[in-house]
Amino acid sequence: MEHRILSFPITASFANTENTVYPTLLMDGHNIILIDCGFIGSLPILEKELQQYGISTKLITGLVLTHHDHDHMGAAAALKRLNPHIKIYASAVEAPFITAQEKPLRLCQAEEFQKILPPQQQEFGKAFCDMLRRVEPVQVDVLLQDGDYLDCCEGCKVIATPGHTPGHISLFMEKNSIIITGDAFALENHQPVIANPQFTLDIVQATASMEKLLAMNVKSYYCYHGGHFTPQGK
């Protein structure tokens, strides 16, 4: 089977606002690897999207979680129940939050924000914290480090891109000249920006990570928030 790299939308609503994200699927003759998996409750949407490509979620061999945010790992535990043989990959730094060995940093941050929100935002803040508490932990099978390789689609290199969260990772498909960014950066008006700067845990690190990826000057960036980005001249 010739390798394929697909990016597809998943849309969910929270507090009357729709949010669309773009997981990526890597396929070759031996592997079907999903990069991030969407929100809590989004497994049926994920299944429906993949069916359009003739792919069953039960055939996915691996799930790479770029970090522990709810919109990236919200469906991970449900996917693992459906497909117990799937291997889950994450950085060694993010794994304790994904498995709930440690309290997720995003929940800690949201709870601190809640203390200072103005009265008109208190209801939204409480709902957001409650939603984060509903994220199901999941066991991480393979711990990833900067520079590790996944044997998929002619080589997939792990790149440490901390800032949004401490152990955030992106993936570099060298032969294809593609970077799967996760939240290392997002697209706004078709241009790279820091993803949710108000929620970024270290803005200096995040800026450096975004600049590092852009300096690699690949043909295409697959952004979880925003979709494809092709630099000018590519």
Side-chain angles (χ1 to χ4, degrees):
M1 174 184 174
E2 186 177 343
H3 75 263
R4 299 169 70 192
I5 301 173
L6 302 173
S7 178
F8 54 90
I10 289 180
T11 300
S13 297
F14 179 75
N16 299 317
T17 301
E18 281 199 341
N19 188 7
T20 298
V21 296
Y22 295 86
T24 301
L25 198 71
L26 312 179
M27 294 179 291
D28 60 23
H30 306 285
N31 307 282
I32 301 177
I33 295 179
L34 180 65
I35 317 301
D36 294 325
C37 60
F39 312 88
I40 300 169
S42 66
L43 182 59
I45 305 171
L46 176 65
E47 290 182 294
K48 186 176 179 180
E49 286 295 328
L50 292 181
Q51 282 171 4
Q52 297 183 42
Y53 300 101
I55 300 163
S56 166
T57 48
K58 293 182 179 180
L59 297 178
I60 296 174
T61 58
L63 169 64
V64 177
L65 298 174
T66 59
H67 61 299
H68 72 275
D69 275 348
H70 72 101
D71 52 339
H72 293 255
M73 65 162 287
L79 180 57
K80 181 75 171 182
R81 280 194 295 273
L82 180 71
N83 178 357
H85 301 294
I86 195 171
K87 281 190 176 180
I88 297 182
Y89 301 75
S91 78
V93 177
E94 292 291 303
F97 310 117
I98 291 169
T99 62
Q101 283 181 288
E102 295 184 28
K103 186 175 180 178
L105 296 177
R106 190 65 69 209
L107 177 57
C108 295
Q109 182 189 45
E111 289 176 344
E112 288 302 308
F113 279 164
Q114 182 67 14
K115 296 175 184 178
I116 59 172
L117 285 177
Q120 64 271 24
Q121 294 181 27
Q122 283 287 323
E123 186 177 347
F124 173 86
K126 181 179 183 302
F128 187 64
C129 288
D130 288 344
M131 182 268 293
L132 292 180
R133 294 185 188 105
R134 292 198 305 272
V135 176
E136 286 188 82
V138 68
Q139 187 60 41
V140 175
D141 301 299
V142 182
L143 298 177
L144 299 174
Q145 306 283 350
D146 185 45
D148 283 352
Y149 274 86
L150 300 179
D151 182 20
C152 185
C153 295
E154 299 184 284
C156 176
K157 184 180 180 181
V158 176
I159 304 174
T161 44
H164 188 74
T165 61
H168 188 286
I169 57 172
S170 304
L171 297 176
F172 178 30
M173 314 300 294
E174 295 185 77
K175 292 284 183 68
N176 300 276
S177 192
I178 289 170
I179 288 176
I180 301 164
T181 68
D183 279 359
F185 66 81
L187 297 183
E188 194 171 288
N189 298 319
H190 306 292
Q191 294 301 313
V193 295
I194 295 294
N196 291 317
Q198 71 273 30
F199 292 117
T200 294
L201 293 172
D202 188 322
I203 198 74
V204 174
Q205 277 192 332
T207 301
S209 290
M210 180 174 76
E211 291 174 349
K212 177 171 74 172
L213 293 188
L214 291 171
M216 293 174 71
N217 203 28
V218 297
K219 290 180 180 177
S220 186
Y221 295 86
Y222 285 30
C223 301
Y224 198 68
H225 298 279
H228 290 179
F229 171 64
T230 302
Q232 288 186 346
K234 291 294 180 180

